[in-house]
Amino acid sequence: MNDLNNRLLNTINTIVDYFLLNVLWVIASIPLITIFPATAAMFGVVRKRQLQKETNGIFKSFYLQFKDNFKQSILLSIVWVVFGAFLYVDYRIISPESSIYQFILYILLIIGLILFASITIYLFPIMVHFELNWKNVVRNAFFFSLMNPILTILLLILIGVGGALLYAFPILIFILGSFLASIVYYLCQNMFNQLMVKNGAN
């Protein structure tokens, strides 16, 4: 009975911690320019909870992760905004029904958008799991997105469903972020471990 009570208490504590983590992420993202550092901090806290079983306070852990990842994630956010804006402008300009040339460009744009979204999903798990500069974070995110297409598709569907739920029920912004981050990092971390074991065997 005591074991059951302890498990129930641990589950409740975990839910509360992830709710607080999500609230911190929302608050830290309000200036918009800090969305990347806030998201990196959220993934960093999730990583420590999953791998190191850290039980330190959410506020302190989030602050430390935010500070540690701030410079790199800000640089990455600038690069990502530029690429995102370029893709968006192309999407607005290209008219696929006007000519075969425009249609081909449109197909290439769709491929680029899918690749851009795929790389974005891997950015934060890689950033907090490995000690890399932002260029190598992007490069590894690109390779990981291609190395395991099934996982990449699964993550895209997961984020897509999360985005649809958030669009339908905006209040979920205070719950959904940390929940999705925990699933995304868990799946990515398993892939990281498999690759490390495989490379070690080679």
Side-chain angles (χ1 to χ4, degrees):
M1 188 65 178
N2 287 334
D3 289 340
L4 180 61
N5 289 336
N6 288 336
R7 285 198 295 269
L8 179 60
L9 182 61
N10 288 334
T11 300
I12 293 174
N13 287 336
T14 299
I15 293 173
V16 172
D17 283 346
Y18 274 83
F19 171 74
L20 291 175
L21 175 60
N22 205 116
V23 172
L24 288 173
W25 171 65
V26 171
I27 294 173
S29 299
I30 288 176
L32 295 183
I33 195 175
T34 56
I35 288 178
F36 268 55
T39 304
M42 178 171 62
F43 272 89
V45 174
V46 167
R47 177 183 183 274
K48 286 185 173 296
R49 296 264 159 170
Q50 290 187 10
L51 291 187
Q52 302 175 11
K53 307 300 180 184
E54 184 182 86
T55 57
N56 290 336
I58 287 293
F59 294 94
K60 180 180 178 181
S61 184
F62 184 87
Y63 169 75
L64 292 175
Q65 290 295 320
F66 187 90
K67 185 177 68 172
D68 290 344
N69 292 288
F70 184 82
K71 183 178 179 180
Q72 183 184 57
S73 53
I74 281 290
L75 290 173
L76 191 54
S77 69
I78 295 172
V79 174
W80 232 238
V81 166
V82 171
F83 272 106
F86 174 77
L87 292 172
Y88 177 75
V89 170
D90 284 348
Y91 175 78
R92 299 290 295 180
I93 292 176
I94 295 175
S95 179
E97 67 279 358
S98 63
S99 68
I100 185 65
Y101 173 72
Q102 291 279 318
F103 180 76
I104 293 173
L105 286 179
Y106 185 76
I107 296 298
L108 293 175
L109 175 62
I110 295 301
I111 294 173
L113 286 170
I114 294 174
L115 185 59
F116 181 77
S118 301
I119 295 172
T120 302
I121 292 175
Y122 286 99
L123 287 179
F124 300 104
I126 291 173
M127 187 186 302
V128 301
H129 192 84
F130 302 102
E131 293 185 3
L132 302 170
N133 60 43
W134 71 268
K135 293 180 181 179
N136 285 327
V137 168
V138 175
R139 185 180 66 178
N140 280 277
F142 171 75
F143 287 128
F144 279 130
S145 67
L146 298 179
M147 288 170 59
N148 197 332
I150 294 177
L151 176 59
T152 299
I153 293 171
L154 177 61
L155 293 175
L156 286 172
I157 292 173
L158 179 66
I159 298 300
V161 171
L165 287 173
L166 188 60
Y167 180 79
F169 308 100
I171 191 66
L172 290 179
I173 194 172
F174 293 103
I175 302 173
L176 208 55
S178 59
F179 175 73
L180 288 175
S182 65
I183 297 176
V184 169
Y185 181 77
Y186 176 79
L187 294 173
C188 289
Q189 186 258 326
N190 284 338
M191 182 180 70
F192 298 156
N193 289 343
Q194 291 172 10
L195 290 174
M196 290 175 67
V197 170
K198 183 178 179 180
N199 291 336
N202 294 334

